[in-house]
Amino acid sequence: MNISQYFPKEEFVQRCVFITGGNSGINLGIAKCYAAVGAKVAICGRDEDKLDRAKSELEALGAKTHAVVADVRDFDAMQDACDEIQIALGKISDLVCGAAGNFLCPANEMSANAFRTVVDIDLMGSFNASRAAFEQLKETKGNVLMVSAGQAYMPYSHQVHAGAAKAGVEMLAKNLALEWGKFGIRVNSVVPGPIEGTEGVKRLTNEKQKQMLLQSIPLKRLGQAEEIGQVAVFLSSKMAAYITGAQVICDGGMNLAGSALFNMGVNQAGKSSG
Ligand code: COA
């Protein structure tokens, strides 16, 4: 699908979208959708090589792009990244808090540091990026999108860290929507299902688990990164001007079916993480 046909070019051409973790997977898919509608795109991540590759892919789509090496766990690094992006591309109009970390691990074997690491990346990282971008978003009357997960409201085996972190991300989105509405800033979340070819699916599923997972998805297929990007672009468009504090689930119906098949797959496969 060519997303650009659904949005007038003039709507996004002045916009500067900052996507944390935008160097791969779902977040790169989101970045590509914004590039396709003509937005300027900034990305950050920890791996310079991955960032460079993603930047080239985005530039090949015609997007003015800026890439910053920064860890979302470090507030000062996020503030510096936001300041740098403003100089390179203009004020941030849309922030996508996408950076996340995950692996499979039973709760009784997980170290406190492992639990904290995922909470730090997912939850603290989303707060840090939002807080650092706030002044620019206030001026642009911008949007924030939190990339959440089904684990936020459905318990999944070996996912206690991700579940706790993403549940926090959901409330972060709602609280910011409540407080920042008066500044003209909208804040929403998207819940992606399992997306083809992503690090998340590679880390969380072996072939046996993948088959069980497919059985549990009402639409009987994995999602595409672009399908999450389409949600992101819609939510930051004028078509969604009165939507804030919403959670948009884009998972092929997977979480309607619960996590039982996933849990069975994980337990049969034993502890197998990335
Ligand atoms: N099982 C159990 N514990 C694990 C683990 C695994 N597969 N991977 C890491 N940990 C633990 C480490 O042992 C460490 O705890 P310890 O100090 O008690 O030993 C803690 O988690 C931090 O690991 P470290 O590798 O130092 O952290 P990091 O900041 O370099 O990496 C991760 C962060 C762990 C989330 C890493 O998986 C990552 O960078 N992921 C990014 C990509 C990703 O996860 N994408 C999927 C998105 S859905």
Side-chain angles (χ1 to χ4, degrees):
M1 191 191 88
N2 179 7
I3 190 174
S4 61
Q5 68 188 291
Y6 295 98
F7 296 93
K9 205 85 176 166
E10 55 274 19
E11 180 167 1
F12 283 95
V13 83
Q14 294 301 330
R15 303 264 286 266
C16 169
V17 185
F18 177 27
I19 301 150
T20 68
N23 53 7
S24 65
I26 293 174
N27 299 321
L28 180 55
I30 292 173
K32 286 180 176 172
C33 281
Y34 279 109
V37 294
K40 296 174 276 186
V41 181
I43 54 175
C44 78
R46 286 185 293 161
D47 183 326
E48 195 162 7
D49 292 340
K50 267 166 82 177
L51 269 177
D52 286 344
R53 282 197 295 276
K55 185 172 187 285
S56 303
E57 286 186 49
L58 293 166
E59 282 170 347
L61 293 171
K64 199 168 173 208
T65 306
H66 189 73
V68 193
V69 178
D71 188 328
V72 292
R73 290 172 282 192
D74 178 348
F75 177 77
D76 292 340
M78 278 299 99
Q79 191 63 69
D80 290 347
C82 289
D83 295 346
E84 193 179 313
I85 290 162
Q86 181 174 356
I87 293 165
L89 300 179
K91 287 194 174 71
I92 296 166
S93 60
D94 298 85
L95 170 70
V96 178
C97 298
N102 204 357
F103 47 79
L104 289 171
C105 186
N108 58 304
E109 292 177 23
M110 188 175 307
S111 73
N113 191 42
F115 186 91
R116 180 172 44 241
T117 298
V118 170
V119 171
D120 273 352
I121 299 171
D122 295 20
L123 180 54
M124 284 306 303
S126 299
F127 175 78
N128 288 343
S130 303
R131 181 67 188 84
F134 170 72
E135 291 299 336
Q136 293 184 48
L137 292 168
K138 193 171 112 179
E139 288 190 43
T140 55
K141 300 200 185 309
N143 297 287
V144 180
L145 179 68
M146 306 285 176
V147 180
S148 181
Q151 285 93 324
Y153 57 91
M154 178 69 62
Y156 276 75
S157 270
H158 301 190
Q159 288 286 274
V160 66
H161 47 341
K166 292 297 191 182
V169 166
E170 285 292 348
M171 278 315 287
L172 175 65
K174 288 181 172 58
N175 277 278
L176 294 184
L178 187 70
E179 289 195 31
W180 291 0
K182 61 177 175 287
F183 301 114
I185 302 171
R186 296 186 294 109
V187 186
N188 294 294
S189 75
V190 61
V191 176
I195 301 296
E196 189 133 34
T198 57
E199 183 67 20
V201 163
K202 276 187 223 145
R203 276 174 184 249
L204 300 184
T205 52
N206 59 29
E207 200 41 50
K208 188 173 180 181
Q209 289 166 276
K210 192 171 160 185
Q211 287 315 315
M212 294 185 104
L213 192 63
L214 282 173
Q215 281 178 47
S216 74
I217 301 171
L219 291 183
K220 301 294 171 208
R221 67 172 177 86
L222 297 176
Q224 301 296 315
E226 188 190 41
E227 291 173 309
I228 308 304
Q230 289 159 14
V231 174
V233 171
F234 163 71
L235 283 173
S236 60
S237 76
K238 286 183 188 145
M239 287 167 72
Y242 205 50
I243 301 178
T244 194
Q247 179 194 54
V248 177
I249 299 171
C250 184
D251 68 349
M254 181 179 133
N255 286 292
L256 293 173
S259 55
L261 278 175
F262 177 91
N263 300 344
M264 218 184 293
V266 168
N267 290 321
Q268 282 179 12
K271 189 191 164 204
S272 58
S273 50

